[in-house]
Every structure is written in structure tokens, then in C-alpha cells.
Amino acid sequence: MATSKQVFSEKFIGIALLSLAGPFIWVVHFAVVYGVHHIVCVTLKNNADFWVHIAIIVITVAALLALLALIIKPDILQRLDRDQVRQETTKEFFAGIMRLLALLSVFGVLWSGIALFFLPTCASVT
């Protein structure tokens, strides 16, 4: 009985995971924003407003810049496939998916970052 061939190569899995970079950035942003928010509120209590605002603004801008880089420069996928194993249409498909998911993630990052200005800073902790 012959062994089966490996269906997916490591490069293909890497390209597929890289096309999901936008949602990964969104998840990390969400976790860091709410984690930092609660930790700073518990630690600084009354003086937390300023530091929470600064931290969330910096984290949101960093996430938005990373997502913007994915939208503007999707050619990072082509660098992973130096051996030209994938067809051009497959590379374009993954680049398009990466761009669309990064654009969707921009709205998620903005939504959690803008909530800072509409909700009381440390009301849930005090």
C-alpha cells in the first residue's frame, strides 16, 4: 500500500495564513485594547482617563497602519512563492482575499478604537 502524497505544502499554508493577516491584526487589536483598558483602569484608578486614551489611540493607529500596508502592498504573497509554483490567478485570488479581509478589519479596528470616545473610560471597573 502506497503512502499518500502531501496535499498542501508548507508554502501554501503560509500563503493562506498570510491572507488572513487582516483578521489576525483585528483580533490582536481587540484583545490588546480591552486588556490594556482594564489593566490601566485597575492600576491607575482616578488618573486612568488620559493614559487609557493615549494607549488606545496608539494601538489603533498601529493596527490601522499595519492593515493599510496589507491593502496597499499585497505583493508580500508573491515573495513567499519565489519558486513560481502557484498559478498567477491563484496568487491574485489570495492577494484579493487579503485586501478584502484587511479592509473589513479596518472597520473592526475603527469600531473598537472609536468606542473610546463614546463610552466612559473606567465605568466597568470602578
Side-chain angles (χ1 to χ4, degrees):
M1 187 166 181
T3 60
S4 64
K5 292 182 179 179
Q6 186 179 4
V7 180
F8 296 108
S9 70
E10 288 84 19
K11 283 189 179 187
F12 177 79
I13 292 172
I15 290 172
L17 285 176
L18 191 58
S19 67
L20 294 172
F24 288 147
I25 292 170
W26 180 10
V27 166
V28 169
H29 173 266
F30 189 81
V32 169
V33 160
Y34 287 102
V36 164
H37 181 201
H38 286 290
I39 289 170
V40 171
C41 284
V42 167
T43 307
L44 297 179
K45 301 201 192 300
N46 295 336
N47 300 330
D49 287 346
F50 173 75
W51 294 109
V52 167
H53 284 111
I54 294 299
I56 292 177
I57 289 170
V58 167
I59 293 165
T60 301
V61 167
L64 288 173
L65 288 175
L67 290 169
L68 195 61
L70 291 176
I71 293 170
I72 292 173
K73 299 283 271 179
D75 61 340
I76 192 169
L77 291 175
Q78 275 75 4
R79 283 187 238 140
L80 279 179
D81 194 21
R82 288 186 205 118
D83 303 333
Q84 303 297 325
V85 176
R86 309 277 169 257
Q87 296 177 351
E88 195 63 34
T89 55
T90 305
K91 288 188 260 187
E92 289 174 12
F93 171 75
F94 277 117
I97 291 294
M98 184 176 70
R99 277 184 156 163
L100 288 174
L101 289 174
L103 182 62
L104 175 66
S105 300
V106 164
F107 291 112
V109 166
L110 282 175
W111 185 263
S112 22
I114 290 176
L116 152 81
F117 298 109
F118 299 112
L119 300 174
T121 305
C122 293
S124 62
V125 179
T126 56

